Amino acid sequence: MNLEIQRQLAEYDQKHLAEIDAMILWVLHDQFGFGPKRLRKFYDSFRVCIDELVKRYEMDAGDDVWLCTKMLKQVGVDVEQWHKETG
């Protein structure tokens, strides 16, 4: 059952990636002044991460925290805590 849920999450992500990408790119442009070159560079890097995350869903990685979440914690950014604070 978990594998099916994860497959459906991956499918959901794929369906909505363009809108999520556009939202992130707009914030980077509007709030931080990223131009087309920097937006493209970010997009290409981010796309690789998204593809890896989708593969992770498909591989039944369990409830392990995504590597980026762990790496951010190492530099003092706790995304999970931010979600709790704003959620």
Side-chain angles (χ1 to χ4, degrees), residues 38-65:
R38 285 181 77 195
L39 289 172
R40 182 57 194 243
K41 188 174 179 177
F42 172 83
Y43 173 82
D44 290 342
S45 296
F46 188 68
R47 188 71 188 161
V48 169
C49 291
I50 290 292
D51 290 344
E52 290 173 4
L53 183 59
V54 169
K55 287 178 191 169
R56 182 175 183 270
Y57 283 141
E58 293 169 347
M59 291 175 42
D60 189 26
D63 291 335
D64 295 341
V65 174

Side-chain angles (χ1 to χ4, degrees), residues 15-41:
K15 286 181 181 179
H16 299 285
L17 278 178
E19 289 181 35
I20 293 167
D21 288 346
M23 180 178 56
I24 292 167
L25 293 172
W26 177 249
V27 169
L28 289 172
H29 170 73
D30 188 52
Q31 300 293 315
F32 302 103
F34 280 34
K37 277 185 169 182
R38 285 181 77 195
L39 289 172
R40 182 57 194 243
K41 188 174 179 177

Side-chain angles (χ1 to χ4, degrees), residues 1 5 9 13 25-26 38 52 69 79 85:
M1 187 165 127
I5 291 169
L9 283 172
D13 286 349
L25 293 172
W26 177 249
R38 285 181 77 195
E52 290 173 4
T69 303
V79 176
E85 293 170 3

Side-chain angles (χ1 to χ4, degrees), residues 67-84:
L67 179 60
C68 294
T69 303
K70 289 181 183 178
M71 300 293 284
L72 284 168
K73 281 185 180 180
Q74 290 177 4
V75 297
V77 176
D78 188 340
V79 176
E80 293 166 332
Q81 182 61 39
W82 290 3
H83 276 270
K84 290 176 187 172

